[in-house]
Amino acid sequence: MASYTAEEPTVTLERVNTPPAQTWNYLKTNDITLTVPKLSRKGDVYFALPRLFDKVETGMGQKVTDWVTSQAADSTYVEVKAGEKNHAPIVVDVDSNAGTVQDAGVLVRQGASATVVVVAHGTSAEPQTSAALVRIIVEEGAHLSLVEVVATTDAHHHLESVGIHADAGATLDIRQFLLGAGVTALGTCATLAGDNGRVSLQTHYLGEHEQTLDINHVVRMAGKNGRAEVHENGILNDSARKSLRATIDLIHGGSGSKGNEAETVLVNGDGVVNKTMPVILCDEDDVQGNHGATIGSVEPEQIDYLMDRGLSRDEATNLFVRALFDDALIEADQPLARKAVFERAQQVLGAEVAQNLLDTLGLELAADAGEKDADAQATATATKESAD
Amino acid sequence: MAEKSKRTQVEDVDRSLYDFVKSEEGYERYADGLTPDIVRAISAKKDEPQWMLDLRLKALEIYQDKQMASNWGPSIAGLDMDHISTYVSPKTKQAKDWNDVPKDIKDTFERLGIPEAERESLAGVGAQYDSEIVYHNMREEVAKQGVVYTTIEDAIHDPKWEPVVREYFGTLIPPTDHKFAALHYAVWSGGSFVYVPEGVHLDYPLQSYFRLNAQGAGQFEHTLIIVEPGADLHFIEGCSAPKYYEANLHAGAVELFVKDHARLRYSTIENWSKNMYNLNTKRATVGEDSKMEWVSGSFGSHVSYLYPTTILKGDRASCEYTGITFSGATQDLDTGCKFILLGKDTNVSADAKSISKDGGVNTFRSSVFVGKDATNARATVSCSSLMLDDISRSDTIPQMDIRNNTAQVGHEATIGRISDDTILYLMSRGCSEAEARTMVVNGFADPVSKELPLEYAVEMNNLIKIEMEGAIG
């Protein structure tokens, strides 16, 4: 086996995670520049995804794709056979403690149904950079459920670039829970290439301390009668910095399509920097595009109401954070994902409150959740299926 | 079966109201291109103080150093400064009586309805023809209130106002702002200086009208308005040009200073010809308990970059922006607004509309910045876009940057077309399809036109009618 040599310890990915349409550069909202590890894999021969995946546009862009594919120890390809409805969840396990970089491709064949879970998790205080590149092709009439969890620590930087290409009649249900990392850079691009495609993209985020969240969502609506619902809601505490770019691109020829985008942000910290750029691009007349953004704090009356019932100010605002973890624990029901959410809840809300959340919801953590062997087995099984 | 949304062809629109050319014979025209000698010549022609020449030369250096952003905005590749004359002037002096204005120029402004509007509803008028103001007048009773409405050039040569111009000129929009702001300061000519003393309320608006007649030329007027505490002014700006096949350039600058407890409404009906690159910059700073109102109708230009900016510095300052942009064939109009909320309890309300047809491109671009100290700031930006066919384009690119946790900021945007049901309903009541669509578009534009004085609302509705006639059948 070839050894890894660190010829260049780091590399700068300049101006990545860019939206299709940009604005004034002095606003510093168009992109993010990231410094990431750079390993040289001289002499390695490693598995790459089928060329089919080259057509999948990703949220963070080609520079990040090139970096991940040069860094990932291997690529994981999973194919869900036509018509298959009960495929085991496909888990992309990103161990942030170890600085894991994952490159995964999933092909959901015609009429099939697949669940993909991407979990970036870690609890260590050692600086690390992890990443996941996930490209998915959803064929005609197929359904994809994608759950993404980022639940690491302030010491970790995590990049997640997702691209989904959907054919006619495909439906996409995407749930993202960004619960913590020193830097989270997330890009999602969903292309409804065929007619009657559907995408529901919901992002829930929490930023605190001096964390940075950089999110770039792009929904391309190329087919006729497409439907897109993009909703982001989040809480920003302390001195967290967040940039959200959300683009609905109504492409010429996609007549009858409708796209809605809405963001709700709760700002609690005095040092918060909250940037939002919701974009609609429209190249077709027979379409509807809407977006809205609401940015505000908890009204003093609402806080007073809760304080009247015996809660302190911190407890009152924490209710909103708790509600976010509630959602994450319910939606991220895959064992590794749920464990990651629980561990992050312990860090943010304290062990007692975290346990209380589980108890209140009547949930339990699976005994083997997060054990590497179990995950490896799930992924290996899927890979083998496709190889067969 | 009838084809859905059938469109028939209509002959070219008669734009003769705006689209007529007067001879340039006998005009003073500087060589095309941009050199320090040309900048010095403009300054010498105006007999400027040294500080203004220094500013011009510094701005020229900045212009030559700065690059246009390559990652956003319409292309200006068709604009070649080597083929633009930055100074063209008719051989006439500024007049206070229309009878003293050369006949062909007077005829131009009469066809545009300026003298008539002045008689009926304005407190004062300035008329610029190419690079120079050819007519300037203000009602006597307004002058008696201490209001100053003159050209920047005249203000600079008045010992009372030269220090004021020097104090304010180029401070709100610095030459470093962007490439074409730098160009503006290098070659500016004409425009208006307005000073409204403390507590003075003008009952009628002041108006400046800018006409660019020359082919392959630029217009670079500078507007500087100071509204002192407790004062109130409505200023109207109009502009037009005949169409050539050669590019023309407009790179004006508007600096507005609204002091405490004051109000300024700045209305614009822009109808440049469709060979015009309109790279204009407008900015206002607003004091305590004051209000800035922008009303903007953009109909012309080949390419526009236009984003009036409002800096709400004073506590309880407020701003309303109401704008419409109409983009037709060959037009790529990038318009919008910017707000910088710095004072406590500041308030912004923006309502922008756009209409795209015949392959026209509209981009609404905005930014809302709420500073760290802007406690209880409120901002609402609303943008509606109407697509009249499937070959046009409409993009909405807002941005918000919020740094105060008590701010409440909202943004909403919608893009769509006129529903077939609405057209069918109106046609069933006897309207032709063209009439039905024009009625809907006029209704869509109504929130803007109702903010304008009657004469200008009529002009705006006429412009919509002219544009719509070319699109529908």
Side-chain angles (χ1 to χ4, degrees), chain B residues 94 235 260 286 324 436:
Chain B
Q94 191 186 127
F235 192 89
D260 296 346
V286 189
I324 188 162

Side-chain angles (χ1 to χ4, degrees), chain B residues 24-63:
Chain B
E24 284 180 49
E25 197 179 331
Y27 283 24
E28 185 176 10
R29 182 179 177 118
Y30 286 11
D32 291 359
L34 195 55
T35 64
D37 285 347
I38 287 175
V39 170
R40 284 195 187 90
I42 294 171
S43 184
K45 165 102 182 157
K46 294 173 184 294
D47 190 23
E48 287 174 344
Q50 186 64 37
W51 66 265
M52 185 60 87
L53 174 59
D54 293 344
L55 174 66
R56 286 181 184 276
L57 292 170
K58 181 70 189 162
L60 179 62
E61 282 176 23
I62 296 166
Y63 169 77

Side-chain angles (χ1 to χ4, degrees), chain A residues 24 26-29 241 272-276, chain B residues 309-313 337-343 346 348 366-374 377-379 381 399-404 407 409:
Chain A
W24 297 288
Y26 76 88
L27 297 172
K28 300 192 188 308
T29 309
R241 304 172 72 90
V272 164
V273 175
N274 176 36
K275 297 185 183 184
T276 298
Chain B
T309 302
T310 313
I311 304 166
L312 293 97
K313 280 173 90 168
C337 45
K338 300 184 197 180
F339 305 99
I340 300 166
L341 289 79
L342 303 176
T346 43
V348 162
S366 70
S367 103
V368 174
F369 175 84
V370 177
K372 214 168 169 44
D373 300 323
R378 300 284 182 268
V381 178
Q399 192 267 6
M400 288 154 276
D401 182 345
I402 315 303
R403 302 190 181 202
N404 184 292
V409 178

Side-chain angles (χ1 to χ4, degrees), chain A residues 155-234:
Chain A
H156 296 166
H157 294 190
H158 178 68
L159 287 67
E160 192 153 315
S161 189
V162 175
I164 305 167
H165 181 96
D167 291 334
T171 56
L172 315 176
D173 184 12
I174 306 165
R175 299 281 181 273
Q176 298 173 327
F177 297 94
L178 312 180
L179 305 174
V183 173
T184 302
L186 171 78
T188 310
C189 180
T191 302
L192 302 182
D195 296 347
N196 302 307
R198 298 284 183 274
V199 58
S200 168
L201 168 57
Q202 293 190 22
T203 305
H204 307 265
Y205 61 81
L206 168 67
E208 54 176 12
H209 309 144
E210 294 185 345
Q211 294 172 351
T212 296
L213 277 156
D214 191 87
I215 304 165
N216 184 43
H217 287 327
V218 181
V219 176
R220 307 259 193 204
M221 303 183 75
K224 295 186 196 312
N225 300 312
R227 294 288 181 274
E229 290 291 337
V230 181
H231 297 276
E232 300 93 359
N233 64 69

Side-chain angles (χ1 to χ4, degrees), chain B residues 247-277:
Chain B
N248 275 9
L249 170 63
H250 175 234
V254 175
E255 297 186 289
L256 310 174
F257 296 85
V258 186
K259 305 287 183 68
D260 296 346
H261 306 281
R263 185 190 82 118
L264 172 60
R265 170 173 285 212
Y266 196 93
S267 302
T268 305
I269 296 289
E270 180 267 300
N271 186 32
W272 293 118
S273 53
K274 292 179 183 175
N275 60 314
M276 179 71 85
Y277 286 84

